[in-house]
């Protein structure tokens, strides 16, 4: 597994342009470009280059139904509200690994 951390959505998208990833833990709020727009752009890069979609998990304290819906509509696959339990995160990442053949 490769782990990378980016503080702004523009850098996240740039990171995806350099290679394929299995899982992305995406913050909804970031400097310059937020997680929703970064997700849309990542999905566009994947479609343009015929890449296997990365599992994108939203991490946010915003848990209203409209926040969850906006995340999913932007192309995120799952939603984890903060604070979260370690086992919840590990379960989502393990599920993504199984679906990508990384187990």
């Amino acid at each position: 597994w490769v782990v990378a951390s980016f503080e702004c959505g523009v850098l996240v998208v740039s990171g995806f342009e350099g290679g394929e990833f299995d899982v992305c833990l995406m913050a909804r709020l970031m400097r310059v470009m937020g997680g929703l727009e970064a997700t849309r752009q990542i999905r566009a890069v994947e479609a343009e280059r015929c890449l296997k979609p990365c599992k994108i998990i939203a991490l946010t304290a915003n848990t209203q139904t409209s926040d969850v819906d906006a995340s999913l509509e932007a192309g995120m696959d799952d939603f984890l509200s903060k604070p979260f339990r370690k086992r919840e995160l590990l379960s989502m990442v393990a599920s993504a690994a199984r679906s990508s053949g990384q187990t």
Side-chain angles (χ1 to χ4, degrees):
W1 287 68
V2 174
V3 177
S5 176
F6 302 100
E7 61 186 47
C8 106
V10 173
L11 296 175
V12 174
V13 175
S14 293
F16 268 84
E17 290 175 346
E20 293 183 55
F21 293 91
D22 297 311
V23 180
C24 175
L25 305 177
M26 182 74 75
R28 288 274 314 265
L29 301 175
M30 291 183 280
R31 294 183 310 113
V32 183
M33 178 191 297
L36 296 178
E37 182 58 28
T39 297
R40 289 183 195 101
Q41 290 190 23
I42 288 166
R43 294 303 187 213
V45 167
E46 291 170 338
E48 179 181 298
R49 297 183 182 177
C50 299
L51 300 174
K52 186 179 96 178
C54 171
K55 179 152 185 151
I56 299 177
I57 302 169
L59 292 177
T60 183
N62 301 332
T63 60
Q64 294 185 4
T65 302
S66 60
D67 296 312
V68 175
D69 291 345
S71 297
L72 298 176
E73 288 170 9
M76 295 182 186
D77 299 292
D78 217 333
F79 189 93
L80 188 58
S81 62
K82 296 189 275 183
F84 55 85
R85 299 202 187 293
K86 181 171 73 171
R87 72 174 173 265
E88 293 172 308
L89 176 61
L90 293 176
S91 175
M92 285 186 178
V93 171
S95 173
R98 283 191 299 277
S99 68
S100 70
Q102 296 292 316
T103 56

